[in-house]
Amino acid sequence: MDCKSWGSRDIVFLCIIVLSLIHVSLGAKVRHFKWEVEYMYGAPDCQEHVVMGINGQFPGPTIRAKAGDTIVVDLTNKLHTEGVVIHWHGIRQLGTPWADGTASISQCAINPGETFEYRFKVDRPGTYFYHGHYGMQRSAGLYGSLIVDMADGEKEPFHYDDEFNLLLSDWWHKSVHEQEVGLSSNPFRWIGEPQSLLINGRGQYNCSLAAKFSNSSISQCKFKGNEKCAPQVLKVRPNKTYRLRIASTTALASLNLAIKGHKMVVVEADGNHVQPFAVNDLDIYSGESYSVLLKTDQNPYKNYWVSIGVRGRDPKTNQALTLLSYSATPASKLPTTQPPVTPRWDDYNHSKAFTKSIYALMGSPQPPKTYDRRIILLNTQNRLNGFVKWAINNVSLVLPSTPYLGSIKFGLNNAFDQKSPPDNYDSSYDIMKPAPNQNTTQGSGVYSITLNTTVDVILQNANALAKDVSEIHPWHLHGHDFWVLGYGEGKFKDGDEKTFNLKNPPLRNTAVIFPFGWTALRFVADNPGVWAFHCHIEPHLHMGMGVIFAQGVHRVGQIPKEALACGLTGNKQN
């Protein structure tokens, strides 16, 4: 078929899309999984605790598919006393918004003993993951990797010989239920810093290989005799190129990854190709994913530290360590040099330099040149009747008992606040100081967005309750990717849009706002459904740091009744 013979540029573009979809659909498979979610005993950091697992595994099973495949997961809740859902992080759920896996937004929580079928298409290759999206179940260990390879006949724009998958997380010895109670108490009880950092679900509590590197072996740490928490060594051959797929499902920690003696070339971010660039270390925030290329061009008779440490918070947690082990050298031979030292936790210039180096690969989709609506979201820490909350434009999000998708579809106007949250905040607000009035309100209102319009979102950071404190917040958008147009210091003001990158901004699904700064995003509201947009730090979302975008819900097709059989929608279904 010759698309050029179709005529106008728009029709040619449509023809190309149709042909690509036909190509992807050829050879596509339906991949079935049967999962049971339950609590079990585990020792992620060599200390036994209750963890949340899938089919007896922690982390959960890795899903591997090809672009164009359909994933079907029959998820059975065996938790006995609480509901569960799973969000497929980075998958846009085109045409299947009820499969997004967000309790009270896209579906009802799956009750104990019930089974829910998630059925959705993975339309683009990339590095993704999945995690619980009910309460703080991600903190309990409900997560795993989701890798989408290129469709048959397609090739990546870079070469590699083999690959490793690194799923990064943080781990507490305090149960998530105790954490939730503390966050919702007056006086407020913070969860504290994690006890361990995990690589593929493995870490070593109170056992720093770095402190013992010169006179120890890996087997002398506390995981001796417990291989389930021993580091997974990256065994490599010399003079090869390896792809490291790196994703962060941390509940709190921002991380930095480095490999002693080796540079990394960044080639993918959140499932989108980027202009390759070399780094000595890589910052990764909760919800983000990257692919980097690593050349094994160092002395093959040595091993090298892989180090992961905390950024953005004064670290009280030991670095996570494992080894890059060349095939000619036994893994028991520890390096004789110090592991890479994580950049100082508050060296934000280092973080900003990395983040601002990410550009879309040539030929990637470009953003529309103008926007139809601008929403400025002020991130503040507040109090509500003495309880500590996070709020957006002075509204702390509370989710209704009836999923938005069903209540909007069926016109159940009393299921949530009908007043839309504000698009902006008081221009006199001083983001550099604690608010003079620290009180906030709660709400379950929705930003209703006209389908197929272009929306700019300005994430504005501010001072928290304590003086001179402003935290890093990674924000994740469900159902879409967005273009990251730019970052700025201080308060966003008219004229700052002149600094926006409209030429080659990266497409992402998660973006960070730095302390006392702003981040500008642009997306096209072209996916009918109801979508969460929230801080990906688990306790911050639990404390109200998120908003809801609804668009074209009338266009959504038949919603499985199992997704809506609760609250007012459940009555409607009856």
Side-chain angles (χ1 to χ4, degrees):
M1 183 184 295
D2 181 9
C3 287
K4 292 182 179 179
S5 66
W6 283 36
S8 74
R9 184 178 64 180
D10 290 343
I11 295 177
V12 170
F13 182 65
L14 177 61
C15 171
I16 292 172
I17 291 177
V18 171
L19 285 179
S20 65
L21 290 174
I22 292 173
H23 180 78
V24 167
S25 66
L26 295 176
K29 296 181 178 180
V30 179
R31 300 180 186 269
H32 290 268
F33 304 88
K34 288 186 179 297
W35 285 1
E36 293 182 344
V37 177
E38 58 190 337
Y39 284 111
M40 63 186 199
Y41 284 104
D45 62 356
C46 306
Q47 304 289 304
E48 188 174 73
H49 288 275
V50 171
V51 302
M52 192 170 279
I54 299 175
N55 293 352
Q57 297 182 42
F58 167 79
T62 295
I63 289 180
R64 191 116 201 181
K66 292 184 178 181
D69 286 352
T70 296
I71 304 296
V72 181
V73 178
D74 291 319
L75 187 77
T76 300
N77 179 1
K78 301 194 75 175
L79 298 178
H80 300 300
T81 60
E82 60 189 285
V84 70
V85 296
I86 287 187
H87 168 57
W88 314 94
H89 188 106
I91 306 302
R92 293 177 295 175
Q93 300 294 347
L94 300 174
T96 53
W98 53 83
D100 190 45
T102 47
S104 296
I105 301 171
S106 63
Q107 70 170 108
C108 305
I110 306 165
N111 288 324
E114 292 183 346
T115 298
F116 181 82
E117 181 188 86
Y118 288 103
R119 180 183 290 266
F120 56 91
K121 180 174 286 189
V122 288
D123 63 311
R124 297 175 308 160
T127 304
Y128 308 104
F129 60 99
Y130 61 84
H131 60 80
H133 216 293
Y134 180 67
M136 292 177 61
Q137 291 177 346
R138 175 160 55 99
S139 297
L142 186 53
Y143 47 74
S145 294
L146 199 171
I147 307 299
V148 182
D149 293 308
M150 300 290 285
D152 290 337
E154 300 288 336
K155 290 184 178 181
E156 298 276 15
F158 46 83
H159 166 78
Y160 56 98
D161 299 297
D162 206 345
E163 69 175 53
F164 295 100
N165 183 46
L166 302 180
L167 184 62
L168 312 181
S169 54
D170 41 15
W171 186 251
W172 281 257
H173 294 169
K174 183 188 296 183
S175 77
V176 292
H177 301 107
E178 187 177 349
Q179 292 181 42
E180 289 173 345
V181 171
L183 294 172
S184 305
S185 294
N186 186 8
F188 177 71
R189 299 187 184 188
W190 177 238
I191 65 172
E193 302 303 311
Q195 275 65 64
S196 305
L197 302 178
L198 307 182
I199 304 173
N200 292 338
R202 299 176 178 216
Q204 297 79 48
Y205 172 64
N206 203 24
C207 173
S208 173
L209 295 179
K212 303 181 178 184
F213 75 96
S214 61
N215 58 5
S216 176
S217 69
I218 288 181
S219 63
Q220 286 181 289
C221 273
K222 288 186 178 181
F223 50 79
K224 185 175 182 180
N226 186 356
E227 290 303 311
K228 289 185 177 180
C229 62
Q232 289 183 336
V233 174
L234 310 184
K235 200 70 178 176
V236 297
R237 294 172 293 161
N239 301 314
K240 299 293 183 181
T241 298
Y242 289 85
R243 178 181 189 169
L244 304 186
R245 295 181 181 268
I246 308 161
S248 175
T249 184
T250 56
L252 176 65
S254 304
L255 301 175
N256 179 272
L257 181 147
I259 302 174
K260 189 74 171 185
H262 295 72
K263 284 186 176 292
M264 297 174 285
V265 176
V266 182
V267 293
E268 177 214 347
D270 294 354
N272 295 286
H273 294 132
V274 300
Q275 290 184 20
F277 66 101
V279 294
N280 293 316
D281 58 81
L282 174 145
D283 276 357
I284 182 167
Y285 303 97
S286 178
E288 292 186 328
S289 65
Y290 291 98
S291 283
V292 300
L293 300 182
L294 172 79
K295 289 188 176 181
T296 51
D297 53 5
Q298 299 301 300
N299 186 340
Y301 298 102
K302 293 183 178 181
N303 290 329
Y304 301 86
W305 290 113
V306 179
S307 173
I308 295 163
V310 174
R311 302 279 281 121
R313 305 183 66 83
D314 190 358
K316 303 292 190 296
T317 311
N318 284 338
Q319 288 177 288
L321 294 172
T322 189
L323 288 180
L324 186 76
S325 178
Y326 279 70
S327 55
T329 307
S332 59
K333 182 180 179 181
L334 291 192
T336 56
T337 56
Q338 186 78 18
V341 177
T342 303
R344 182 178 165 85
W345 70 273
D346 58 355
D347 183 359
Y348 295 117
N349 288 331
H350 185 93
S351 304
K352 293 172 185 176
F354 170 76
T355 303
K356 293 177 181 179
S357 298
I358 303 172
Y359 298 99
L361 187 67
M362 185 178 298
S364 299
Q366 290 186 317
K369 299 303 181 185
T370 59
Y371 63 89
D372 299 299
R373 181 178 179 183
R374 173 180 286 170
I375 300 173
I376 301 179
L377 301 177
L378 176 69
N379 294 238
T380 58
Q381 193 179 47
N382 302 83
R383 296 188 187 276
L384 181 70
N385 300 323
F387 295 88
V388 178
K389 299 291 181 183
W390 286 97
I392 305 302
N393 291 350
N394 207 45
V395 178
S396 184
L397 179 65
V398 289
L399 296 176
S401 60
T402 303
Y404 290 107
L405 186 63
S407 56
I408 295 175
K409 174 79 172 177
F410 296 117
L412 305 176
N413 295 331
N414 58 340
F416 63 93
D417 299 339
Q418 290 302 297
K419 183 180 179 181
S420 176
D423 280 19
N424 206 336
Y425 65 97
D426 186 345
S427 60
S428 66
Y429 189 94
D430 187 348
I431 68 159
M432 305 302 292
K433 299 178 181 178
N437 179 3
Q438 297 181 345
N439 294 323
T440 189
T441 58
Q442 284 186 316
S444 59
V446 172
Y447 287 93
S448 295
I449 298 172
T450 303
L451 192 63
N452 295 321
T453 59
T454 300
V455 180
D456 275 13
V457 176
I458 310 297
L459 293 166
Q460 177 67 65
N461 216 339
N463 201 103
L465 286 172
K467 184 180 179 182
D468 299 325
V469 173
S470 183
E471 298 186 24
I472 280 178
H473 300 290
W475 275 73
H476 171 60
L477 178 60
H478 293 229
H480 307 75
D481 282 351
F482 49 69
W483 290 274
V484 184
L485 302 184
Y487 305 87
E489 307 294 330
K491 192 172 183 177
F492 181 83
K493 59 188 183 300
D494 289 340
D496 281 340
E497 62 269 17
K498 294 178 181 177
T499 67
F500 287 177
N501 174 17
L502 299 179
K503 179 182 178 182
N504 56 357
L507 267 170
R508 305 295 302 267
N509 61 58
T510 304
V512 62
I513 45 172
F514 293 106
F516 299 109
W518 55 263
T519 299
L521 317 174
R522 179 169 293 176
F523 73 96
V524 178
D526 57 359
N527 191 8
V530 184
W531 309 105
F533 182 44
H534 62 89
C535 178
H536 210 260
I537 293 175
E538 191 84 314
H540 290 184
L541 173 59
H542 188 74
M543 296 163 64
M545 199 172 194
V547 297
I548 305 297
F549 293 149
Q551 59 194 257
V553 178
H554 63 285
R555 296 276 191 94
V556 175
Q558 184 67 37
I559 304 172
K561 66 179 183 179
E562 295 83 5
L564 304 177
C566 61
L568 297 177
T569 321
N571 295 330
K572 177 73 177 182
Q573 292 288 297
N574 292 333

